[in-house]
Every structure is written in C-alpha cells, then in structure tokens.
DNA sequence: GAGAGCCTAGCTGTATACAAGAATCTTTCA
DNA sequence: TGAAAGATTCTTGTATACAGCTAGGCTCTC
C-alpha cells in the first residue's frame, strides 16, 4: 500500500468484471450493456468502460460492430493457440537470456526459487501452496531474465488469457492423475531450462521452454476429454464452447 | 465507408496523438496533461483519455506513478527487441501455417501477392509504391495464413511499435544504399518463406521468417550509425535517445 | 395472418461538472 | 538567509448529462 488507491473504481471494475467472465457467471456470447453492468457493480460508466476496453484487449470481451461488447466465445483451438504463443514467448525470453547473458541478481533469485521448488516437490515434505507461489516466481523471473522490459512485458501479456497461464491448472489439481509426479516433472524441466540458459545454450533453452508450456496443453486436453463436465472448476475453461 | 464514423473523436485523437509522438513533435520524456492535449486537439478529455490509454498499451506513452503520462523514451535496444519479437511471432505464424496447413483462399491470395511483388522488384519496371502496398499485404497474409485469429492478432500487435514494423524503413529509402537490390533480396526471402510453408517445412519456415525480420534490424543499425542525424526521417526513430 | 413502416425506448459516444490529491509557490518564522 | 508549512492552482479520476443512432416492438394495412 505504498501508494494511495488511485483508480480504485477502475481497478474494482476490472477485477470484478474479469472474475465474472472467467468463472462463467456471464454466459459466453451474452451482450454486456455498460449501463446495466455499471449499475450491477455499483459504479459509474466511466471506469467500467475503461475496464471493458481493457478486457477487450485481453481477449475476454469482443466488440460488436454496432457498438457495445459481448463475452468472447472460445474454442479449444483458441486456448491451444494461446498456450502455443506463451511457449514461444517464454522460449524467446529463455533464448535471449542465454544469448545475451543473465542479469546477475535475477540469476541469483532464480537459484533461490529453484531450490524452493525442489523442496516443495520433495515427496517427504510436499507443499502444494509453496509450489504454486514459487512456480509463479519462476515464470516471472524467466520473463525478465534477459533484462529486456519489452520481452518481459510481452511474455506477461501472453499469460493473461486465463487458461493459458502457467498457473491455470493448479486449481484443478484433483482432476489431473499423478498430480504430484507431474509437478516433479515440471520442476525437472525448470532446472533444465535454467541450466541451458546459464550454459549459454540458446536453442536448447528455447526448445525446453516451449516444451514446458506444452504441459498446460496436455492438462487442458486431458481435462476436456476426461472430465468435460468438471472443466468449469479450472478458471477460464467455463468459457470454452461445448 | 460501410459503417458510420463511430468513435470519430476517439479515432481522431488516436491518430493525431500517435502522429505527434512518432514524428517527434512531442519531445521524449515530456509530460502530457490531458486538459492541455484535449484543448490542442480540440476535443474533450473523454476520447483523448481513451486514446492515451491505447498509446500506453502500444508503448509510445508511459504512465507516471503519480498519474498522467509522458512520452516514452526509447533506447536502441528496445527497438532491437521489438524487431526480434516481431521476427519470432511472424516465424511462429509461418511454422504453424506449415504444420497445420494453409487456409486455401489465403494461400491463393499469397500467390497473387507474391507475383505482384515479383513485378514490383523487376529492374525493368521497378515500382516502389506497388512494392510497399504488396509488402504490407504479404505480412498481413502471413500472419493469417495459419487460420488462427489469436496468432494473427499478436503478430499484428508486434508490428505496432512503429520502428519495428515491416514498413518502417520504406520511408527512409534514400538512406539505404542499394535500396532496390535490398528489396529484391527481401522478395527472394518472401518466396522462400512461402515455399517452406507449402512444403510443410515448419522449422525452415520459422527460421526464414525470423531472418527476414532481421532486415529491419540491419537497416536500423545502418541508419543509426551512418546517418544518425537523418534518423528522424524514419517514423518512430525520432524517439530514440541519443 | 403476415409484412412493412413508424415510433419509442434504450444504448453508446462525447462533453462537462466536480471533488480529492499533487505540485508549486509564497510567506513566515527561526 | 534558509527551511518548513500552508495555500493556491492544476490535474487526474469519477460521475453525470446529453444527443444521435439502433433496435425492437407495435400497429396498421393488405
């Protein structure tokens, strides 16, 4: 709380509206009128409108030609593409970090994070909450490792689509078989990615990071074929048509 | 003019403000106040504010902690990163088109465009304006060739930073030595990229598209080292520090 | 009963009013 | 003379008013 709550209404609108969409409270394809939604969230049209603009940019809302918005309707293909793009961009961040060298303090932070993840996936003291926290840390650090603000920003952007984010399937853990084993494999990949970066092996780092993102696709496809009725437990999957 | 001019004020604000920034009429680092700029462009704060939000998203403006915006200050590195990202994303579009197959009508359109580009770079009837038009067409089609709206959108987005766009250095043609020869080489690359895609050679298509984007970097580095004082003739380069 | 046209209600885009915070300048006190 | 505090002005964030366009329904006519 270092700063005052500037744009308090805007932030509230953004968070609440995004949450409504992601959790499926607003049916995909439904038209949203600014006045009605402003009344529902108890704020004026001005900040709500800004929030809607932002959500259009995030891809959760679509503009209607005649004016106004509706909730975006996703196909499986869209999520697969979103995950693919995240893999590509994280791969680029990894490759550039390898080619250009790692910002020292971020490299140290990465070591610490990886050790924390090692502890979290240790079968003797498995700690799911710690894994979630440090996994997010890993992906955040990876995006910034090459020291390029632009790259970091675009990687973060690619993870904004909820189901494409590296943390998307953490909530649906009970749906994934051998979940603990799968986290262990993911952590093994984290280690290899960092190893490749520090060894200046750009191509390897890029390929590994892409493959790592593929985990999300595997989980997505598993949930949608095996537990389609439970899919709405994973944030963002409620939007997927069929 | 199929549709009415909805959001006329917003569009005007966006275009005029972007133009002011790109052409260096607003010094990098200068703070922009909404009221002053609204008065200058002769519209109200509401659409201007939306336009500023958009330009922040495009990276041309930066938010100030205390509220308000200032013109972004670019380093060479930022432009190099932006070009790198465009290459990566166009490469992904090319790879996915190769892997998944090409949407037939877009493939046909691409053939037509490539033939038009062949004619444009033919030394006997060299046509610069035609080249610019069809080059833009090529990049637009490439982004959409895999049939994924998401991929197309993100590729387009990566070209929004003016100096990173595939058309950035067309305006500065007189600065680039052997400009015609260089366009011929670019067209050769266009042909090879499409060839790889149609042959389903994903890795080759990706690598070629990345290398193609590198042309922009070469031009950028050439102009900045050889003609730094003329750099402002290329849209967007006026913003680069030093 | 169906279709077309008109009217009304509502929504969006834009302008503007208003309040609270930030910055700057001035004034006062040590 | 310098520093601190207060006041004034400017700026942003938010609310709201207004006008033009859209859409949907209702009525009238064939």
């Amino acid at each position: 709380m270092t700063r005052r709550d500037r744009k308090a209404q805007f932030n509230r609108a953004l968070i609440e509206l995004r949450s409504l969409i992601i959790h499926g409270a607003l049916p995909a394809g439904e038209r949203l009128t600014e006045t009605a939604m402003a009344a529902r969230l108890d704020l004026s049209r001005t900040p709500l409108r800004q929030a809607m603009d932002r959500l259009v940019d995030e891809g959760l809302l679509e503009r209607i030609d005649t004016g106004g918005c509706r909730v975006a309707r996703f196909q499986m293909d869209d999520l697969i593409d979103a995950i693919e793009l995240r893999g590509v961009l994280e791969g680029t961040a990894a490759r550039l970090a390898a080619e250009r060298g790692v910002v020292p303090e971020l490299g140290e932070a990465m070591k610490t994070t990886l050790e924390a993840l090692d502890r979290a996936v240790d079968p003797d003291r498995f700690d799911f909450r710690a894994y979630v926290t440090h996994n997010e840390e890993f992906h955040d650090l990876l995006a910034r490792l090459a020291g390029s603000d632009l790259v970091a920003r675009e990687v973060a952007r690619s993870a904004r689509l909820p189901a494409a984010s590296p943390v998307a399937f953490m909530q649906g853990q009970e749906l994934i078989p051998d979940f603990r084993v799968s986290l262990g494999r993911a952590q093994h990949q984290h280690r290899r990615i960092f190893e490749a970066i520090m060894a200046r092996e750009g191509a390897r780092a890029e390929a590994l990071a892409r493959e790592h993102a593929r985990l999300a696709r595997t989980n997505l496809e598993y949930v949608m074929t095996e537990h389609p009725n439970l899919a709405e437990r994973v944030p963002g999957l409620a939007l997927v048509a069929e």
Side-chain angles (χ1 to χ4, degrees), chain A:
Chain A
M1 216 153 300
T2 104
R3 200 167 59 214
R4 229 185 48 75
D5 49 350
R6 292 182 70 85
K7 298 206 182 195
Q9 303 307 306
F10 165 72
N11 284 316
R12 193 161 67 81
L14 184 60
I15 291 169
E16 295 190 12
L17 188 51
R18 191 195 280 131
S19 169
L20 285 174
I21 297 169
I22 289 176
H23 294 97
L26 301 172
E30 170 155 315
R31 176 166 184 188
L32 296 187
T33 68
E34 296 176 3
T35 40
M37 191 52 60
R40 177 166 175 179
L41 298 183
D42 191 37
L43 35 75
S44 84
R45 278 179 59 213
T46 309
L48 177 83
R49 207 177 155 72
Q50 291 176 301
M52 286 174 74
D53 279 345
R54 176 72 165 269
L55 292 175
V56 167
D57 188 67
E58 289 187 15
L60 291 179
L61 293 178
E62 291 173 347
R63 276 269 136 64
I64 301 179
D65 274 358
T66 162
C69 290
R70 69 170 158 237
V71 179
R73 196 183 295 276
F74 285 92
Q75 310 290 339
M76 265 292 275
D77 287 350
D78 295 318
L79 294 186
I80 287 176
D81 289 346
I83 292 170
E84 178 83 28
L85 284 174
R86 174 168 68 83
V88 165
L89 287 167
E90 287 188 333
T92 299
R95 173 172 60 84
L96 292 179
E99 290 172 355
R100 300 176 178 178
V102 167
V103 178
E105 56 267 33
L106 293 181
E108 283 307 310
M110 194 57 123
K111 276 183 201 163
T112 308
T113 296
L114 284 169
E115 282 159 15
L117 281 168
D118 276 340
R119 286 193 295 278
V121 298
D122 183 338
D124 295 335
R125 43 182 174 171
F126 184 83
D127 184 343
F128 178 64
R129 297 186 74 87
Y131 183 87
V132 172
T133 304
H134 295 298
N135 180 56
E136 208 166 338
E137 243 171 59
F138 174 87
H139 285 272
D140 179 57
L141 284 170
L142 177 60
R144 292 155 50 212
L145 214 54
S148 161
D149 288 346
L150 205 64
V151 170
R153 217 182 65 173
E154 294 306 307
V155 172
R157 190 187 144 77
S158 74
R160 280 215 298 236
L161 210 55
S165 142
V167 301
F169 290 90
M170 294 296 161
Q171 269 86 352
Q173 52 167 313
E174 70 279 9
L175 303 178
I176 312 287
D178 299 328
F179 190 65
R180 293 186 179 202
V181 177
S182 129
L183 291 192
R185 285 198 205 108
Q187 168 60 1
H188 183 78
Q189 293 181 329
H190 293 157
R191 280 275 177 206
R192 297 292 78 73
I193 291 170
F194 188 58
E195 177 184 285
I197 291 171
M198 297 312 284
R200 314 299 289 260
E201 298 167 349
R204 179 175 168 228
E206 177 165 15
L208 284 169
R210 283 193 187 183
E211 193 61 27
H212 182 59
R214 196 83 180 202
L215 283 179
R217 175 164 170 176
T218 305
N219 286 336
L220 170 65
E221 288 172 340
Y222 178 82
V223 169
M224 293 305 277
T225 56
E226 299 298 322
H227 304 287
N229 50 327
L230 296 179
E232 74 265 15
R233 265 195 232 171
V234 179
L237 288 199
L239 296 175
V240 178
E242 265 84 316

